[in-house]
Amino acid sequence: VAAMVPDTALTEAALFAQPFMRTLVGLIRAEDSYGHWDRKSDADLVRPFVLTNEGREAVLIGGEPDPETLHRVEQFYRAIGLLIEQRSRLMTSTLMSVGREGAVRLILTVGRLVAHDAKLTDVHRFGFDDLQGLAQEGEAAIAASLVVIDQYQEAARD
Amino acid sequence: VAAMVPDTALTEAALFAQPFMRTLVGLIRAEDSYGHWDRKSDADLVRPFVLTNEGREAVLIGGEPDPETLHRVEQFYRAIGLLIEQRSRLMTSTLMSVGREGAVRLILTVGRLVAHDAKLTDVHRFGFDDLQGLAQEGEAAIAASLVVIDQYQEAARD
């Protein structure tokens, strides 16, 4: 059976079994108080996080960033924060600042520590090449944050 | 001569000779590209930072905070950040997030360290009882941040 699974890419089922993707999908479904999305697949729900090169070029930039895009940025980092909390057993806090022309800075703090510091120069075009890219970048941010927390445990526990 | 100085309060001249007040006034004057405020005293320039109890009650809250008030919050913390930089010789970075109903969170980071974390629940009413209160709170935030930086030097230098 294993031979039928392409070794270059995870199957979609395996992808959505990963903790980061499960958490992100959970956050999205948690906003669906009336069950409108019950029939939507996990892949349907996270599709707006994927932006192909063509899609990226088609995005109109300039002006205020789209609130839905900003909400996706928040969901992405909230999922990261939740998993950091589960794995470190320390509280996280996220601060997002939206500047001019789509510049967004996002800081994830744990105690007195800046565990993750992201600068998005062009938030209008926030998105990942594919679902695997989304999952990988989420897990990479969590792993990097946990390394920093481990390195500066006292500041993180302050 | 010393006996003529009231011992309960600094004279205005001494107050504006303090590093925090000098820096704050300097930041305000730096925005006056055309010299319109050349004839204004330092006290005139920082007067909007003072809000008496009566003034505080008169402020209409609700809705978006006044941009001028938010700008004063930024100036106050920028002055704090500049003095932390001078005294610690480390770069600071400030992130302000304006939430709903005048809730503002402001984080001042040094390297990977959160040197100062301020939550203003009601930014519409940002202001100090008097000029001395403004100077004291500025200096207190600087002093407290320097203690934290000293405590977590490695994170601050990361």
Side-chain angles (χ1 to χ4, degrees), chain A residues 90-107:
Chain A
L90 295 169
M91 287 276 289
T92 65
S93 171
T94 304
L95 192 67
M96 183 165 84
S97 161
V98 182
R100 289 183 196 147
E101 295 176 17
V104 163
R105 190 165 168 218
L106 202 139
I107 279 185

Side-chain angles (χ1 to χ4, degrees), chain A residues 93 95-97 105 107 109 112-115 148 152 154-155 158, chain B residues 93 95-97 105 107 109 112-115 148 152 154-155 158:
Chain A
S93 171
L95 192 67
M96 183 165 84
S97 161
R105 190 165 168 218
I107 279 185
T109 62
R112 287 215 164 261
L113 189 66
V114 178
V148 175
Y152 301 114
E154 283 179 35
D158 191 341
Chain B
S93 171
L95 192 65
M96 183 166 84
S97 161
R105 189 166 168 217
I107 279 185
T109 62
R112 287 216 165 261
L113 189 66
V114 178
V148 175
Y152 302 113
E154 283 178 34
D158 192 342

Side-chain angles (χ1 to χ4, degrees), chain B:
Chain B
V1 176
M4 293 183 65
V5 178
D7 60 348
T8 49
L10 287 166
T11 60
E12 206 170 273
L15 196 66
F16 284 100
Q18 287 186 348
F20 175 75
M21 293 295 264
R22 286 175 65 104
T23 304
L24 182 61
V25 168
L27 284 174
I28 297 168
R29 291 207 184 271
E31 290 177 8
D32 178 31
S33 317
Y34 297 99
H36 294 312
W37 302 336
D38 282 354
R39 292 183 172 190
K40 286 199 179 186
S41 70
D42 292 351
D44 288 338
L45 292 177
V46 297
R47 193 108 47 208
F49 287 82
V50 172
L51 204 57
T52 60
N53 281 336
E54 296 78 47
R56 202 165 273 133
E57 279 165 22
V59 173
L60 291 171
I61 59 168
E64 292 290 300
D66 174 15
E68 288 181 16
T69 305
L70 289 176
H71 188 55
R72 279 195 294 277
V73 174
E74 279 179 333
Q75 285 175 321
F76 178 73
Y77 287 100
R78 238 187 110 203
I80 289 169
L82 281 172
L83 279 160
I84 292 172
E85 290 190 356
Q86 286 176 25
R87 293 178 189 174
S88 70
R89 298 182 181 267
L90 295 169
M91 286 278 289
T92 65
S93 171
T94 304
L95 192 65
M96 183 166 84
S97 161
V98 183
R100 289 182 195 145
E101 295 175 18
V104 162
R105 189 166 168 217
L106 202 139
I107 279 185
L108 197 150
T109 62
V110 180
R112 287 216 165 261
L113 189 66
V114 178
H116 190 79
D117 194 341
K119 291 185 182 92
L120 313 175
T121 49
D122 188 1
V123 78
H124 300 87
R125 288 172 171 154
F126 176 75
F128 302 85
D129 293 340
D130 50 31
L131 292 179
Q132 259 193 291
L134 166 64
Q136 278 167 4
E137 291 213 31
E139 284 290 351
I142 295 163
S145 298
L146 290 170
V147 168
V148 175
I149 292 168
D150 193 54
Q151 191 177 355
Y152 302 113
Q153 286 187 37
E154 283 178 34
R157 288 171 195 281
D158 192 342

